[in-house]
Structure formats: C-alpha cells, structure tokens
Amino acid sequence: MAQRRSLAVPCRAPVLAVSFLACVATALELSVNNHAADFTLSTELGPPISLSCLVHNSSRAEELLWYRGNGQVGLKEGNKVNISNICISPVNESDNGVTFTCRLARDKSVQVSVVLDVQFPPKLSGEETLHVEEEKDVTLTCNSKSNPQAQSTWLKDNQSLTLQQSHHEVYQTSEIFRLSIKKVRKSDNGTYTCVMESPLGHGTRDFHLIVEDKKPVFPTEAVIAAAVVVTITILFGIVARKDKIFKVW
C-alpha cells in the first residue's frame, strides 16, 4: 500500500503543472504597437502617429475600448473587435504627457497604456517696452514651453546678468521664466533678454526697461488739513457776523 501511494504522487504533479502552464500560456492579453506592457512613445510635433491595439489568445470576438486620459475615445463600427486603431493627427504640444489606454470591454483590468513624449523646441520671440518709476517694482515674464525643458538665462544689454541679492529675484517653472527687480533705480535701465536653449533649438525675448524719474507725491493729508482749517475759519466768520448778515436779508 505504501508503495502504491508513493508512485501515485509523482504521476499527478506533472499533470497539474502542465495544466497550469497551459492556462498561463493561453491567458488573454492585449498589445499596443507590439508592446504587451505599458510604454512611452517618443515623437515630434506635426506628423501623425497611429496606435494599434490587438487581442491575443482569444477564441471569441472581443470588444476594445480606447481612452485618452480619463475620457473615452469614440470608435467607428468595425474598429472595435479584436483589433482597433486610433490616429493622433496632427501631434501638438497639448499631446505631450497624455496617456492613451486600450482596454478590454468585458474586463477593463486587461489593458495596455502608452504615454506620449512629444519633443519640441522652445517657442519664444518678440519684444516689449516697460516704463517704471524709480523705487517701484517691476517683473519681466517669459512664457515658454519645451520638451526637453530648456536651460534659461537672463542677459542685460547682451551681457550675462549679475543677480544682486534683495534686488533681483528669479522664478522658474516648466512654462514660466520670470525676473523681478525690486525698487528699480536708474542703473537698471537697459534691454533685458530672456534666453531659452534646448537640444532642439532656442528662443529669445527682449524687454526694454525704461526707468523714469520718481514723481512727486501729492500731499493729500496736508491739503485735507488745510481745507478743514479754511472751512472752520469760514464758519467762525459767519457766526461772528450773523447779526449783520440777518440785517442784510
């Protein structure tokens, strides 16, 4: 009896193992542009790109769904079963970083996503003239996007700007490059250039800063005080001469 049991155990193990491997091998899955796992697709501005989603290891008709971010993409009949294609045309800056996902309709956990990496140079040009009084604050702002992110610098009169603590302040994000000048003075007069450089190109924008003389401050408080004094004086004069005023009337 002991021998029969010992012989039965190894006979069953290979059968179970083979069955399990067969299930794994035939598991239903999707691929997008021949990628069975999530991936990033690098591209450039302009030319259209096509994404093709394909069902694998299925013996039945499977409906597919496409999503751009969280929004579902409308598909035409005939472009939903077992294979589905979408086209992004033209590719623009707003497509950068967007995730496109193909999902199985009856089991949305079966999916493949692709993130678009749209590369483009900085777009920056033009000029602007700013007038500001002495001791006022002024801010120069460059609005520009690029991928990869550009290296940004400020020039003054075509020379590298030397930043002075408590006088200059620089702020930068992926889309904004800003220079703030606190309490401007005559020496701040000049042309400031915002320069953005990336491996794909560069852009510049000029700001002509004109610092004007400080305008005299109108003595509002003194004028109000003088008006009050004059008003009170007139009232006292009227009271002192009220008898004569009444006689005239």
Side-chain angles (χ1 to χ4, degrees):
M1 293 295 292
Q3 290 181 348
R4 289 180 183 177
R5 288 178 182 173
S6 62
L7 290 174
V9 172
C11 290
R12 289 174 184 171
V15 174
L16 293 173
V18 171
S19 299
F20 174 76
L21 291 174
C23 291
V24 171
T26 58
L28 189 150
E29 64 178 11
L30 305 179
S31 69
V32 173
N33 290 17
N34 297 321
H35 292 265
D38 297 348
F39 67 103
T40 298
L41 178 61
S42 294
T43 185
E44 59 185 18
L45 294 177
I49 59 174
S50 179
L51 302 178
S52 180
C53 183
L54 181 64
V55 178
H56 300 271
N57 305 325
S58 177
S59 58
R60 54 176 281 186
E62 298 286 357
E63 183 182 355
L64 296 171
L65 306 174
W66 273 103
Y67 291 82
R68 175 190 168 97
N70 295 322
Q72 188 171 343
V73 177
L75 299 175
K76 294 182 178 179
E77 293 298 328
N79 189 29
K80 297 180 180 181
V81 180
N82 290 342
I83 184 169
S84 181
N85 299 284
I86 61 172
C87 182
I88 299 96
S89 177
V91 175
N92 56 48
E93 296 172 8
S94 64
D95 295 316
N96 184 46
V98 174
T99 300
F100 288 86
T101 304
C102 179
R103 292 190 177 119
L104 196 66
R106 67 181 176 90
D107 183 359
K108 293 183 176 61
S109 65
V110 180
Q111 64 176 41
V112 177
S113 295
V114 51
V115 179
L116 296 190
D117 176 32
V118 183
Q119 300 193 348
F120 54 94
K123 293 183 178 180
L124 197 64
S125 62
E127 58 183 322
E128 184 178 349
T129 300
L130 301 172
H131 296 261
V132 62
E133 291 181 31
E134 282 185 283
E135 299 187 11
K136 297 285 187 179
D137 298 342
V138 67
T139 298
L140 316 179
T141 302
C142 284
N143 296 303
S144 177
K145 294 191 296 183
S146 64
N147 183 34
Q149 185 171 344
Q151 296 294 319
S152 307
T153 55
W154 281 100
L155 306 178
K156 182 189 176 187
D157 298 328
N158 294 322
Q159 301 292 326
S160 180
L161 175 64
T162 301
L163 300 178
Q164 301 175 20
Q165 190 175 10
S166 301
H167 187 56
H168 298 106
E169 184 178 295
V170 174
Y171 172 80
Q172 184 172 9
T173 67
S174 59
E175 299 182 10
I176 294 175
F177 188 42
R178 180 182 297 154
L179 172 66
S180 295
I181 306 176
K182 308 294 184 181
K183 295 184 177 180
V184 297
R185 40 189 184 247
K186 287 291 187 178
S187 59
D188 293 317
N189 263 316
T191 298
Y192 293 78
T193 304
C194 171
V195 181
M196 293 192 171
E197 296 183 84
S198 82
L200 300 179
H202 75 281
T204 62
R205 182 176 177 83
D206 289 335
F207 296 84
H208 305 292
L209 183 62
I210 300 173
V211 181
E212 300 175 340
D213 293 334
K214 185 177 180 181
K215 296 177 182 178
V217 179
F218 190 71
T220 306
E221 294 181 358
V223 170
I224 293 175
V228 170
V229 171
V230 171
T231 302
I232 293 174
T233 302
I234 292 172
L235 289 175
F236 276 117
I238 292 173
V239 171
R241 296 173 175 269
K242 63 179 182 180
D243 292 339
K244 291 183 178 181
I245 294 173
F246 290 148
K247 287 181 180 179
V248 171
W249 284 100

